[in-house]
Amino acid sequence: MRTQVCIIGGGPSGLLLSQLLDRAGIASVVLERQTHDHVLSRIRAGVLEYGSVAMLEQAGVADRVHVEGLPHSGTFLALQNTGFRIDFDALIGKGVMVYGQTEVTHDLYDARDAAGGTVIHRVEGTRPHDLDTASPYVTYALDGAEHRIDCDFVAGCDGFHGPSRQAIPKDVLTEYERVYPFGWLGVLSETPPVSHELIYANHPRGFALASMRNPQLSRYYIQAPVDDPLDRWTDDAFWDELRRRLPHDAAEALVTGPSIEKSIAPLRSYVADPMRWGRLFLVGDAAHIVPPTGAKGLNLAISDVHYLFEALKLHYAQGDDSGIDGYSRTALARVWNAIRFSWWFTTTMHRFPEQTPFDQAIQDAELRHLQTSVSAQRNLAENYVGLPF
Ligand code: RFL
Ligand code: PHB
């Protein structure tokens, strides 16, 4: 088989890229390791930046997000059970959209199906080859048979554990990493959200976040040791701990119910540099990971897709390779802003095992400053709602 762009990974970045390319008349094939149902069952991000919604519009997949998404014009921060609000709208005139990654992926699959796009599921042993030549290709197995796709470019949209990044020689790649000494225990429950806006809470017992998917579906997280056995966290134990960490008024209003999903995720910051090697481009989690505190993971994947799409359009429409040559530099500049913001917000909101009284006093001062300084609030709002592409 031959195509112009072979896309490894059918998560949000791979599907969005193929959808945009299709609308620009550029052919692609998406190779996905999991089944369609598995990809759609993953519960992940929940907050879309302003620019991410614009990208979904550009891809022609924004009808549902505008009907079912929840526009949020602010968020609450809390310290020791007392909250204050950051008013995004008043500070910078923009907000975010609460709409689950599962729904974004759903909309993208529907659009690819409607356009007759090729997404091949359940592929095994995917490997890109000859990436530093003008004729790269990708091999994979499906139902025991070996296949090969020849292409002009390979987009590595295969997440943190995929094969694309591994294909870049070790002496070319620089990796930057910080692993945080805790995880997030997340619960999804069919209960009305405790607050109409998100609450990020710093508490002596650890961080907590109250989020949502829709008016009947809540998403909550608490900071927990990453190796805590999940069965230690009965639903009752989770609700009790969440209640202790939220602001008092929210704790009183909390409606609890059975969890329909419960998992612990590790927190890490990671960047691979460069994001392009020869005819391979890394996109989204394949190139970088942020801790979820800033809600940046999915949004960064979408901005990478923006830069790569513009670069490929220039190449095919005008034979101009300046976008391709600049992809890694341009994408990494935005990535590092989000890495910095997510690291800062994580550091400010969580309790660290080794935290000294000095560290604690700095954290308290940081939050008090945010509570009282309009310029500190504007800085947070700008970064949270999303810096321009
Ligand atoms: P994805 O979504 O990981 O998709 C990669 C796709 O590649 C497939 N794949 C392969 N396909 C073919 N051959 C192979 N050898 C392959 N290896 C892997 C995978 O099956 C998958 O379908 O990456 P993408 O598209 O770059 O999108 C990035 C986002 O998914 C990610 O940044 C966010 O979900 C991160 N993230 C969160 N971000 C937030 O902003 N807020 C959150 O609350 C949040 N929670 C999370 C998260 C990521 C999690 N992970 C990765 C485990 C919670 C979790 C648990
Ligand atoms: C979520 O709803 O899953 C969510 C929201 C905000 C975050 C992280 C996760 O910062």
Side-chain angles (χ1 to χ4, degrees), residues 43-47 98 184 198 200 207 209-213 219-221 291-296 345 384:
I43 313 287
R44 291 186 176 174
V47 176
V98 171
W184 275 20
L198 273 60
Y200 290 86
F207 170 78
L209 169 61
S211 181
M212 67 200 71
R213 290 292 174 273
R219 180 71 165 154
Y220 296 107
Y221 299 92
T293 325
K296 290 284 165 250
F345 202 25
Y384 190 89

Side-chain angles (χ1 to χ4, degrees), residues 58-388:
Q58 192 186 345
V61 294
D63 288 354
R64 209 158 62 94
V65 69
H66 282 304
V67 176
E68 295 178 23
L70 306 170
H72 280 201
S73 59
T75 192
F76 290 97
L77 302 191
L79 177 61
Q80 299 203 0
N81 307 105
T82 308
F84 59 95
R85 183 165 185 265
I86 308 282
D87 188 334
F88 302 147
D89 209 15
L91 289 158
I92 58 164
K94 287 182 210 150
V96 292
M97 185 72 93
V98 171
Y99 190 68
Q101 178 170 334
T102 316
E103 305 311 317
V104 173
T105 312
H106 205 293
D107 296 342
L108 284 166
Y109 266 128
D110 285 354
R112 296 315 300 130
D113 288 348
T118 309
V119 182
I120 305 172
H121 285 96
R122 296 186 301 104
V123 299
E124 291 174 320
T126 320
R127 259 190 74 200
H129 305 264
D130 291 359
L131 296 163
D132 54 347
T133 74
S135 326
Y137 64 98
V138 178
T139 54
Y140 64 95
L142 183 65
D143 297 330
E146 293 293 327
H147 297 267
R148 167 177 171 146
I149 299 183
D150 291 281
C151 53
D152 300 335
F153 298 101
V154 177
C157 301
D158 45 0
F160 188 62
H161 300 287
S164 296
R165 193 178 64 253
Q166 326 290 343
I168 302 181
K170 286 272 169 285
D171 59 339
V172 172
L173 197 72
T174 304
E175 297 177 282
Y176 301 85
E177 183 171 51
R178 165 147 310 172
V179 176
Y180 300 87
F182 40 72
W184 275 20
L185 170 63
V187 157
L188 189 69
S189 83
E190 280 169 331
T191 49
V194 67
S195 158
H196 68 288
E197 289 178 340
L198 273 60
I199 305 173
Y200 290 86
N202 177 318
H203 189 272
R205 297 179 66 90
F207 170 78
L209 169 61
S211 181
M212 67 200 71
R213 290 292 174 273
N214 63 48
Q216 285 80 41
L217 195 57
S218 301
R219 180 71 165 154
Y220 296 107
Y221 299 92
I222 56 173
Q223 175 185 346
V226 76
D227 49 8
D228 251 13
L230 258 189
D231 55 14
R232 195 200 128 198
W233 288 103
T234 60
D235 287 356
D236 284 346
F238 179 85
W239 295 123
D240 286 347
E241 191 56 38
L242 178 67
R243 223 180 260 115
R244 289 189 190 105
R245 299 183 188 187
L246 288 177
H248 291 307
D249 51 346
E252 273 167 34
L254 183 69
V255 179
T256 63
S259 63
I260 54 175
E261 195 265 354
K262 195 186 283 163
S263 53
I264 298 191
L267 266 68
R268 161 202 321 262
S269 301
Y270 173 90
V271 180
D273 181 349
M275 286 174 58
R276 168 188 160 229
W277 186 64
R279 292 195 165 231
L280 169 72
F281 303 92
L282 300 181
V283 182
D285 278 17
H288 39 73
I289 297 288
V290 285
T293 325
K296 290 284 165 250
L298 173 60
N299 293 297
L300 273 188
I302 292 177
S303 62
D304 289 353
V305 168
H306 163 79
Y307 297 125
L308 181 54
F309 172 56
E310 293 301 324
L312 291 171
K313 258 196 324 193
L314 258 188
H315 169 85
Y316 282 111
Q318 297 172 34
D320 177 347
D321 281 350
S322 58
I324 284 176
D325 293 338
Y327 170 72
S328 181
R329 188 174 22 85
T330 316
L332 280 171
R334 192 169 192 280
V335 165
W336 273 109
N337 273 320
I339 289 277
R340 185 205 66 80
F341 173 68
S342 305
W343 160 82
W344 168 80
F345 202 25
T346 301
T347 309
T348 301
M349 297 308 292
H350 291 73
R351 298 295 166 130
F352 285 68
E354 309 293 322
Q355 206 148 320
T356 64
F358 177 85
D359 298 331
Q360 188 52 57
I362 290 288
Q363 213 181 51
D364 291 353
E366 184 90 49
L367 280 159
R368 301 270 174 244
H369 181 57
L370 268 169
Q371 187 167 10
T372 50
S373 160
V374 172
S375 51
Q377 292 187 4
R378 184 169 296 122
N379 187 317
L380 187 149
E382 242 172 33
N383 282 280
Y384 190 89
V385 169
L387 297 173

Side-chain angles (χ1 to χ4, degrees), residues 10-52:
S13 46
L15 293 171
L16 178 61
L17 179 64
S18 77
Q19 172 69 7
L20 288 163
L21 289 174
D22 187 23
R23 286 164 69 93
I26 302 167
S28 69
V29 169
V30 178
L31 299 175
E32 168 56 49
R33 188 165 60 101
Q34 304 286 357
T35 63
H36 182 271
D37 287 353
H38 180 99
V39 174
L40 285 177
S41 68
R42 294 189 294 219
I43 313 287
R44 291 186 176 174
V47 176
L48 294 176
E49 292 176 0
Y50 182 83
S52 297

